[in-house]
Amino acid sequence: MCSHRPLCPAADAADREASHVIASHPDQGWSLLCNGVVVFEDTGLLLPDGSVVAPHRAHVAA
């Protein structure tokens, strides 16, 4: 999906979240990256193959 240079990381790459946002829906809590990954506001991910990555937000001690 990525058409700019340098190319964004692939959906299966460790740094996949560094890809450019191509559609943002903050009112719904998600954004679509140019590599096909959907990023949710809780830091969970939906990958193009349908697999899910659980939220991985850093825990902040109160």
Side-chain angles (χ1 to χ4, degrees):
M1 292 178 81
C2 182
S3 63
H4 50 273
R5 297 286 184 253
L7 294 176
C8 286
D12 59 355
D15 59 345
R16 61 184 151 235
E17 294 176 69
S19 295
H20 291 239
V21 174
I22 59 172
S24 180
H25 294 274
D27 55 317
Q28 297 175 1
W30 62 273
S31 295
L32 175 64
L33 305 181
C34 71
N35 58 5
V37 173
V38 177
V39 180
F40 295 94
E41 66 183 12
D42 69 354
T43 69
L45 306 172
L46 178 61
L47 303 182
D49 65 2
S51 59
V52 173
V53 177
H56 50 280
R57 181 181 340 205
H59 176 71
V60 178

